[in-house]
Amino acid sequence: MTRPGAGGSTASKTSLKVASFDKGTGRAVISQAQKSSPGPSTAPGAKPSASSSASASAPGSAPAPAPVKTGDIIASAPVPGAPDGLLAEVTKVGAQTAQGTEVETKPSDLGTLLADDKAEGQVPVDPSTVAVEPLLQGVKVSWAKTGGASFGPNGAKLPLGSLRLDVGTAIATAEGAPASAAASVSGFVQLAPEVEFAYDGSAHRHHLGMSGAWQAQWQLKGRAAGGVKHRIPFAKLHADPVIQVGYVPVVVNLDLTCYLQVEADGRITLDVEQNVSGDFRVGADYAKGKGWTPASSSNVKSSPVKASVTAAGTAKTTLGAEASVGLYGVVGLAADFAPYLRGEATATAAAATDGAASAVATWGLYGGFDLNGHLQLQLSIFGTPLLEHRIPLGSLTREWPLTSGGAGASASPSRPAA
């Protein structure tokens, strides 16, 4: 547990820990930390968490027990009852129990705790700590963590720090399509997410965001039904990496929902496959006098692996992710990163009164991505003014040609026999 410093000085930590917390009532139980108990796990590159820690003292001196009191700030890594971490102020000290001291709390903010301090961190998310909830049958999970450990059918060939999800599913086929045109979509997404955090109390500048490497490959086959947008979430991911700021464990909450999406007019039949690789960044910066502004970018490239187009029409398939990033269980920003593959084909025919006729068919495949997001009301956890509405983070859209083709035929007017 952490105690704010006086007059803007650095906060200190105590030899107390959060034994339990009730989010509904704001009540917590504070107990003495056990020296022999292991500390909570932290993200790679971060120092051990300070959810249960010693009070600030001279090097080599024994930690001095400090009773909890009104005004103390609880800054804790995940604990029972607060799986996303906890940032709260003690408003009332209650009875002593066998488990510890009962207290009542209210939400706090980083400005109260960090005051004029300055901190910055960009922490890779350990893929082995990511909780994955498959939403479709057959989703396969693989990861490779720094240090060489791996998991899953593709874990051994992944770059260190990467998580991969493989998926395949049938989708609604256009009415009247032959059995050979049954629609399906399959592929994988591979990512290595990082969380970003910056706090500058004296300059009143802050940042929150996520970034990372992204690679995906997916295939659309058949003639998808038209008139509806097929959006298929296939996995939910959650992680709570900790960025250690002095004595303060800043808990960043990361949630991702990976999805497949298909839009079609029900006329075009495709057998197309695309590779996408690159990186993305979504976030927001705060500056006093300017408020929150977007800090989002993407640099991805794609290439067709397979391309077969039959009949005129249009179709678009996306393998993307909805992401939300927050602090201590409070959502700060949300974004949707959506790389896509779009195919279209046209057919034209012309005839003249003299009997001449011509027909031309053309087709093209295009890669692209959409990246957009918004800020949430609760981002006042930085100690900034409370937002009264969502603030769009802007939208990035890029599209580029991948491959194309066409064919033409003509017929001359028939001449009467001599």
Side-chain angles (χ1 to χ4, degrees), residues 374-386:
H374 60 265
L375 291 172
Q376 301 278 54
L377 291 172
Q378 301 94 329
L379 208 55
S380 60
I381 196 168
F382 274 96
T384 59
L386 179 69

Side-chain angles (χ1 to χ4, degrees), residues 266-337:
R267 296 185 297 138
I268 192 171
T269 301
L270 298 170
D271 185 356
V272 294
E273 190 171 341
Q274 178 183 219
N275 268 331
V276 172
S277 61
D279 56 66
F280 70 99
R281 181 174 185 256
V282 59
D285 295 320
Y286 177 85
K288 189 176 181 179
K290 294 183 179 180
W292 288 97
T293 55
S296 302
S297 62
S298 179
N299 179 27
V300 295
K301 298 179 180 180
S302 59
S303 59
V305 178
K306 182 191 300 183
S308 174
V309 182
T310 305
T314 62
K316 179 181 177 181
T317 178
T318 302
L319 199 164
E322 296 175 347
S324 67
V325 185
L327 298 171
Y328 301 102
V330 178
V331 174
L333 62 90
D336 191 345
F337 180 55

Side-chain angles (χ1 to χ4, degrees), residues 353-365:
T353 55
D354 63 358
S358 63
V360 178
T362 61
W363 60 269
L365 293 178

